[in-house]
Every structure is written in C-alpha cells, then in structure tokens.
C-alpha cells in the first residue's frame, strides 16, 4: 500500500474505523466530509495526535468541488461514502443518483490524480436481492436482480453504483486495480452517537422499541473486519485485487438469535430485549400502516446468507465471531450513553 490513502466519508461508521486502522498502520489519510466546519472538529477530536497525517477536505458526492484536492498525492482510494438512510425514500433516485454519481466522480478524480488502487465499499445489497424466494445462499458470483421491481431503493443504489463503477473502470482505466468490498449488516463497537443504520437493529432491541421479534435475519460482520478487508485490499498485490469482489460476512443470524446473544452475553442490558416472536400474519396485516413493518414483510422467513469465505481466504484474515460483534455493539451503546439504564 502506498503511504497516502483517501477515505471518503470519514464521519461515517465504516469510514471512521478505516481511518483509525490506516493511521495506526502509519499511513497519511485524506478524508472527505460534506461539511468541513462541522466534520473536521469531530474528526480531530477522535484523532487528536494525527496532525498533518490526517487531512480533511470538503466534498459532496453530487458536486465536483474539492475532489481534485482530496485525491491529489494519494496512492489509493477507499470510496466508502454513500447515502445509507434508516427510512425508505419516496423515490429511488434520492439514493441511486448520489450513490452512482459519487462513485463515478470519485473514480474519475482518482484516475486523473494517477491513483492506481481503488476500493469501493459496495454491499451485500448488490448481491442478494431480487432473486427467486428459494435462493438463500449467495457468493460474489451473484448480483441483485435490478429487473425485479421489489428491490428496495438502497439496494438498487448500491447495485447500480457498483455495476457502473466496474463498467467505467473497464472503459476508462483498465489498468487500475479496482475492487469492491461488499459487507452484510455491520455491527461492532460504536464510537459516538452518530449511528449507522445497521446499529439501529441492536439499539431498538435493547430499548424495547422492537416489542416482539419478527421472523427475519441478517448476515453479520464486524466493523473492524470490514475496515480490515478494505485495508488489506488496498495493500494486496495488484493482480490479487484487480476487478475483485469481496463479500464480507461472518454469519447469518435470525433476529431471535441476536436477542438470545444479548440476553446471554450482556444480561444487565437485556432487560427490555423481547422474548416473544411477532407472528408473520401480524406483520402482513399491519404492514400497510407501518413503514418499518413494510420493510420487514418482504424479509419474513428469508435466509440471505452471503458467504464471506473468498474475502477471508484471499485477503488473509479471520472473522470476529458475530456473537462478539453483537456484544461489542451493546456494550459500546451503553458506554457512550446512547442506550441508558
Ligand atoms: P454511515 O455511518 O451513515 O456513513 C455514511 C457516510 O457517507 C457518511 O460519512 C456520510 O457523510 C457520507 N455521505 C452520505 N451521503 C453523502 C453525500 N451526498 N456526499 C458526501 N458524503 C455523503 O454509514 P456506514 O455504515 O459507515 O456506511 C458506509 C458505506 O458502507 C456505505 O457505502 C454503505 O452503503 C456501506 N455499507 C454499510 C453497511 C452497514 O451495515 N453499515 C453494510 C453494507 C454496506 P455525512 O456524515 O455528511 O452524512
């Protein structure tokens, strides 16, 4: 890996962990934030000793300003920033446009700056959706089926951004070592109250906001492993990563398993964690009246188990067990006063 890496979206959950690991490894890090006046003090507070080894640039996914400066002098780019809202937008373009434009913009400016290594944070959302209901196991060979209108806007945005990035590289920068890292739901320690959407799942179980457990599940991966996969992909030999696709996942867990892990590993914080299941018929009946249940309805009883094996064997790391990630999420939520007891 070169010595200077641009991590877009330094204020985010994954972006922050990646910056942490890169600084720890002695790299100089450039990062983009949407609002420098707000974002930079937050980043400086997290890494008070980084000094000149951390440079913060203001850049939005939807505008050219700031990108040339952010990419200048960089050996590698990890493009992590992308909209990841908790709620479903009215129109898919609210997510698809910034995700696609942002990825293509980051690629274009990176290429113009002579960057040879580019790691795109994609998602299992670009792998495991829109397939026939009987398909429950996935690998990097699978792509979310955009022709299926039931694919939600966020999943659509990640699929379009990854597909078009690959096309762009093929046509415009065929020598660039481009790859994607495709995480399933990311858990693990949080460092502040600016929570990623994936953390809301554990938070809502702990606060009792989810009063009964629907029959849904998720692949789980730890944020420290997601960052590690990016770091290793930035560092691996050119031919190992070129055009690569690295799904990162430790394990698929049902929501009832996550509730059980909380009760087992952090009983002091699990008083409000529900024990009852929410019958699927109730979800179906109530879905028209609740945006949350509408999202849950399509996932009832569905396994979406994306294998993380290729990433761990190719890049060379072992996953933190999902139960440890759930525990770390819960402990850090309490430690930072986000969930109060
Ligand atoms: P996050 O904490 O919400 O971070 C998202 C980052 O993207 C923030 O830094 C945000 O900046 C930035 N961003 C959003 N829209 C932007 C725009 N228009 N212009 C510039 N920056 C923008 O989410 P995360 O969990 O770290 O997710 C990071 C990446 O991982 C995303 O690409 C997401 O799709 C992917 N991912 C996440 C998960 C997961 O479970 N967490 C799973 C698979 C893939 P602001 O601080 O200014 O909002």
């Amino acid at each position: 890996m070169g010595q200077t890496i641009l991590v877009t979206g330094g204020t985010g959950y994954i972006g922050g962990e990646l910056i942490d690991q890169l600084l720890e490894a002695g790299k100089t890090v450039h990062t983009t934030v949407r609002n420098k006046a707000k974002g930079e003090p937050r980043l400086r507070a997290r890494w008070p000793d980084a000094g000149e080894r951390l440079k913060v640039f203001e850049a939005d996914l939807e505008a050219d300003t700031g990108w040339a400066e952010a990419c200048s002098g960089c050996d590698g780019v990890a493009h992590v920033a992308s909209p990841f809202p908790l709620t479903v937008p009215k129109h898919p373009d609210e997510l698809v446009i910034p995700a696609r434009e942002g990825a293509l913009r980051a690629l274009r400016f990176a290429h113009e700056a002579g960057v040879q290594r580019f790691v795109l944070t994609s998602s299992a959302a670009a792998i495991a959706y829109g397939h026939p209901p009987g398909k429950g196991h996935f690998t990097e060979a699978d792509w979310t089926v955009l022709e299926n209108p039931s694919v939600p806007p966020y999943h659509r945005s990640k699929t379009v951004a990854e597909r078009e990035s690959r096309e762009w590289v093929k046509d415009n920068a065929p020598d660039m070592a481009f790859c994607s890292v495709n995480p399933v739901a990311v858990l693990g320690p949080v460092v502040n109250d600016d929570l990623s959407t994936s953390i809301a799942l554990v938070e809502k179980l702990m606060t009792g906001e989810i009063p009964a457990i629907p029959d849904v599940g998720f692949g789980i991966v730890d944020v420290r492993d997601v960052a590690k996969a990016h770091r290793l992909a930035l560092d691996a030999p050119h031919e190992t990563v070129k055009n690569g696709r690295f799904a990162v996942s430790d394990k698929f867990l049902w929501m009832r398993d996550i509730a059980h892990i909380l009760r087992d590993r952090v009983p002091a914080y699990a008083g409000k964690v529900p024990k009852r299941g929410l019958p699927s018929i109730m979800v179906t009946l109530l879905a028209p009246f609740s945006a949350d249940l509408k999202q849950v309805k399509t996932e009832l009883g569905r396994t979406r188990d994306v294998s993380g094996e290729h990433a761990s064997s190719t890049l060379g790391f072992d996953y933190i067990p999902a139960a440890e990630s759930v525990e770390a999420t819960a402990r850090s939520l309490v430690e930072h006063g986000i969930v109060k007891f």
Side-chain angles (χ1 to χ4, degrees):
M1 189 194 313
Q3 292 308 307
T4 302
I5 304 295
L6 168 63
V7 177
T8 67
T11 49
Y13 185 41
I14 295 171
E17 177 62 28
L18 178 56
I19 292 174
D20 206 47
Q21 292 191 13
L22 290 170
L23 288 174
E24 187 64 36
K27 308 298 175 190
T28 293
V29 177
H30 290 190
T31 191
T32 61
V33 296
R34 265 193 279 198
N35 180 332
K36 198 171 171 191
K38 224 171 86 189
E40 181 158 15
R42 224 180 153 106
L43 300 185
R44 296 274 165 219
R46 182 165 175 188
W47 297 286
D49 301 326
E52 279 298 296
R53 286 209 299 124
L54 177 64
K55 294 194 177 120
V56 183
F57 299 85
E58 190 166 275
D60 193 287
L61 295 175
E62 295 185 78
D64 284 347
T65 317
W67 285 96
E69 294 79 358
C71 289
S72 172
C74 288
D75 304 287
V77 170
H79 179 54
V80 188
S82 201
F84 186 28
L86 194 51
T87 50
V88 181
K90 282 208 179 76
H91 196 283
D93 279 353
E94 285 178 44
L95 302 183
V96 173
I97 289 174
R100 180 183 59 210
E101 281 195 6
L104 296 179
R105 180 165 279 115
L107 273 169
R108 178 161 56 87
F109 279 99
H111 184 53
E112 281 170 17
V115 173
Q116 282 296 314
R117 179 67 56 105
F118 193 103
V119 181
L120 173 75
T121 314
S122 185
S123 173
I127 294 177
Y129 292 79
H131 297 276
K135 185 167 167 66
H137 295 272
F138 301 89
T139 69
E140 289 85 355
D142 295 301
W143 278 92
T144 286
V145 181
L146 288 173
E147 293 72 25
N148 185 333
S150 75
V151 172
Y154 169 74
H155 303 67
R156 206 164 273 285
S157 77
K158 298 304 287 182
T159 311
V160 169
E162 189 190 331
R163 271 203 180 284
E164 294 202 14
S165 295
R166 289 180 184 278
E167 282 298 310
W168 190 92
V169 171
K170 196 167 71 166
D171 295 343
N172 298 282
D175 294 333
M176 182 187 256
F178 169 93
C179 70
S180 66
V181 172
N182 297 55
V184 292
V186 181
L187 297 181
V190 303
V191 295
N192 56 42
D193 61 1
D194 191 3
L195 298 183
S196 173
T197 294
S198 49
I199 299 298
L201 163 70
V202 176
E203 186 199 10
K204 286 181 176 189
L205 280 172
M206 291 172 77
T207 58
E209 208 179 313
I210 298 178
I213 304 173
D215 184 26
V216 295
F218 316 86
I220 303 291
V221 67
D222 196 284
V223 67
R224 293 163 287 187
D225 287 338
V226 177
K228 192 189 277 181
H230 283 75
R231 192 163 52 76
L232 294 170
L234 285 162
D235 226 359
H238 194 88
E239 355 20 287
T240 306
V241 295
K242 194 166 184 304
N243 300 323
R245 202 173 190 221
F246 299 105
V248 286
S249 172
D250 176 53
K251 196 176 183 179
F252 178 88
L253 290 178
W254 294 100
M255 200 190 269
R256 56 184 168 274
D257 300 328
I258 297 174
H260 175 77
I261 290 165
L262 289 170
R263 279 196 295 274
D264 188 44
R265 290 189 167 232
V266 282
Y269 307 148
K272 293 183 184 162
V273 173
K275 292 194 174 119
R276 289 183 299 122
L278 178 62
S280 294
I281 181 73
M282 290 289 286
V283 176
T284 307
L285 288 172
L286 295 173
F289 311 105
S290 154
D292 280 353
L293 289 180
K294 206 178 277 173
Q295 289 189 61
V296 166
K297 190 182 144 194
T298 56
E299 293 303 301
L300 287 171
R302 285 224 48 171
T303 305
R304 296 192 200 268
D305 188 5
V306 179
S307 171
E309 207 282 322
H310 169 66
S312 79
S313 61
T314 308
L315 299 174
F317 68 99
D318 293 322
Y319 290 104
I320 295 167
E324 265 182 47
S325 307
V326 172
E327 177 179 344
T329 311
R331 289 195 186 280
S332 61
L333 284 170
V334 175
E335 197 181 306
H336 290 284
I338 298 157
V339 176
K340 295 190 173 59
F341 285 93

